[in-house]
Amino acid sequence: MDTPPLPFSARLRAATQGAHTAAEGQQYVTALVAGELDLAGYLDLVVQHHALYQALESAAEAMRADPVAGGFVDDALTRLPALEADLTALAGPDWALRTAPNPATVAYAERIRAVAGTSPVRFVAHHYTRYLGDLSGGLHIGRAVARRYGLTGQSGAAFYTFARIDRPKAYKEAYRARLDALALSPADEAALLDEVLVAYRHNTAVFAALARHVPAGPVLPEAVA
């Protein structure tokens, strides 16, 4: 008996696992989770996230009615208001005047703007890469950040709180089921896979740029205070 083919979501995950591992294994991520960065090192990540989600969530509005991409647009995932609240809590109400994304983030955001507002499958690729990551390793990072800096879901770490998603695991399973239900041509599948790999490369570059915050030695507790 022939083995049934793997669902698209499983094939997508397997084909991008190496790129995913390379991104999450970056020195900056390891140091952040280990509590080795000062508060400025964490704040810089929030600044980069704001630029990326500004681009992605703008594309989501353009794709809301699309028959392919629209099924993935969910206001329960929206991160931009939470990021702006975090930036206000961490850097003050004038954060927009005193912070700016790094060149790697600008390139990532430009890529999202270039393809996600016009190509449904490439939009899904960026949506999948960011939000499923947020609901997986992102929740672990959020708990580590909250402990390290004494933050909460209302002050400084709101990005990691999905108030309208009670069961992240079930949400991710339903998301993958939507991926599997898409009627994609081989060319569409290839484009989606290709764009996920592009997204991971950009994400890795952003983390590499943030590695400037990783100290040569351990950060003393008073440095964070």
Side-chain angles (χ1 to χ4, degrees):
M1 181 179 295
D2 292 336
T3 302
L6 287 174
F8 176 60
S9 63
R11 288 184 281 120
L12 178 63
R13 187 175 185 179
T16 59
Q17 186 60 50
H20 181 192
T21 300
E24 69 181 5
Q26 288 292 301
Q27 185 183 23
Y28 174 86
V29 179
T30 302
L32 179 66
V33 173
E36 297 172 357
L37 305 181
D38 61 16
L39 190 57
Y42 167 61
L43 169 61
D44 205 4
L45 175 63
V46 184
V47 172
Q48 311 316 311
H49 276 161
H50 181 269
L52 296 175
Y53 285 86
Q54 193 171 48
L56 182 57
E57 292 176 5
S58 175
E61 288 305 311
M63 286 291 174
R64 192 177 286 272
D66 184 85
V68 172
F72 296 89
V73 178
D74 183 356
D75 292 339
L77 292 171
T78 302
R79 298 291 85 202
L80 205 54
L83 286 164
E84 291 174 355
D86 288 343
L87 286 166
T88 299
L90 295 167
D94 62 342
W95 60 266
L97 300 175
R98 299 192 294 108
T99 64
N102 63 45
T105 298
V106 171
Y108 190 174
E110 287 178 349
R111 176 63 183 185
I112 293 172
R113 290 192 180 93
V115 302
T118 56
S119 169
V121 294
R122 291 185 187 273
F123 166 79
V124 172
H126 285 282
H127 194 277
Y128 163 87
T129 305
R130 296 252 38 112
Y131 292 115
L132 254 65
D134 296 337
L135 289 169
S136 299
L139 296 182
H140 172 60
I141 292 174
R143 288 189 291 269
V145 163
R147 286 194 304 269
R148 180 66 173 99
Y149 307 108
L151 305 175
T152 69
Q154 291 74 44
S155 180
F159 172 77
Y160 300 101
T161 300
F162 290 83
R164 295 168 58 184
I165 299 177
D166 296 328
R167 299 167 59 210
K169 182 179 179 182
Y171 189 97
K172 291 186 293 180
E173 289 172 352
Y175 190 109
R176 293 188 182 102
R178 288 198 296 276
L179 279 175
D180 295 336
L182 291 175
L184 299 178
S185 68
D188 286 337
E189 288 192 4
L192 203 158
L193 168 61
D194 173 70
E195 197 63 29
V196 170
L197 293 172
V198 169
Y200 277 131
R201 287 197 294 271
H202 277 293
N203 203 33
T204 299
V206 170
F207 286 141
L210 287 168
R212 66 188 181 87
H213 292 287
V214 178
V219 177
L220 299 177
E222 55 270 23
V224 174

